[in-house]
Amino acid sequence: MNYHSLKNPELKASFSEALLSSLAPDGGLYMPDSLPRFGDNELARLGAMSFWACAAHLSRFFVDDKFSDEDLQGLCADAYDFPLSLTTMDGELLDAATPEPADAYILELFHGPTLAFKDFAARFMGRTVSHLLSRSGDSRTILVATSGDTGGAIGHAFLNLPGVRVFILYPNGGVSSVQEHQLTSFGEMGGNKSNVKAIAVDGTFDDCQALVKQAFADSKMSAEHNLMSANSINVGRVIPQSFYYFWTSLQIKAAFPNRPIVYSIPSGNLGNLTGGLIARKMGAPIDKFVVGNNTNDPFVDYLNTGEYTPRPSVPTLSNAMDIGRPNNFPRILSLFDGDYERITQVCSGYSYSDAQTERHLRRTYAHEKYLMCPHTAVGHMAMQDFAAKTDKDYTKITVSTAHPAKFKDEVEQIIREDIPLPRSLQNCIDAPSHKHVMEPSLSDLDDYIRKNT
Ligand SMILES: *Cc1c(COP(=O)(O)O)cnc(C)c1O
């Protein structure tokens, strides 16, 4: 399959080229030229596979001949060695043999090594990039701007991979303390020689993202360091996020064949939603998507009014969604040929203040004994608001994007109880960390990369 630039469909690239260059030469986002569309028999066959095998099968359609079927199987089996769980708030797992279908599930995507759904994409991307670089002997410098979770997932997925250096830019004071520990301890794991370095930028997430964009736009810097992006502008981040929608919707359909399916996704840059929409286009039995935004809600505004107005982001409790200009918006438009009516037939959106998020998180913990992270709480509220407005009998899946302990201080303040840290996070907290603080300056960034290459 080929990819094209959304700014100019004549500008083509293979998967490997799109992955390693991130953006098209005209600055456009890459998008697949076409998507496979699976019929009922093939859907049944794919749904009967394990998740990683289904992912390997699907990825065949998105990559090029630099990957054999065996490569893809090995890569997916290795990347997806952790569970993906569909559970009710009472802890009942989805099971095709359940006589009484529950009407609501949480899709917990946070059981990977960095406890956020970003692991699904980062681990696929790390392994595909490493596969290509080890064959060509090339190298890349990855710049990634993060509001917290992307940096952790990318750092973990690329740690110690030959041919790659990773510089993670995060807003100083703008991520949770657990996230900061995670980001700043990579450098220490491999000693000073570690290939992953975190930079605390004195500014907001938007400043981090702007700095990364400036670095890419600077042709000298970009060429000298062989820069590559691991943000969701890169198709390598978006494609694997279709796999879990595809596979889980088939499990749900097998259990409750007569009920339509809706997913609610807490959203920021809209990469996760783009993955879901791609899965739906490939034939996954998904009726609708609900989008939850915090007060940074240009996409929800667009769904409700037809007007798209990007704006500067403001900090909220659900910091991974503090995005004022979601970078996958053009991809979503392209999936619907820019047709607003069709987009709103599939997607509905709601947005929430921090006060609402806090109250919801506290209530679901008190009444249902289910603790969610602030992002998941936003998605869960959106699902409830959607459900209240429809009389269709949906199976409702709220996508849980991070483990609550990643936001330990914030969540503990809300529920006024201590929450235990899972072992992987405790290990980060215990590991030595080093914080490099920097002004949002391109020449300082250039110097720092040079000194650490
Ligand atoms: C990244 C992230 C989101 C937002 O996902 P997008 O793909 O940017 O829309 C939501 N929740 C958490 C916990 C995240 O890390």
Side-chain angles (χ1 to χ4, degrees), residues 116-118 147-150 179 232 237 241 265-273 320-321 323 328 373 375-376 401-402 407:
F117 83 98
K118 305 275 190 335
S147 53
D149 288 331
T150 298
Q179 286 174 323
S232 58
R237 276 281 307 284
Q241 288 174 175
I265 311 178
S267 293
N269 259 324
L270 302 171
N272 204 1
L273 174 64
M321 314 199 297
I323 311 284
N328 283 291
C373 86
H375 309 77
T376 306
T401 45
F407 306 91

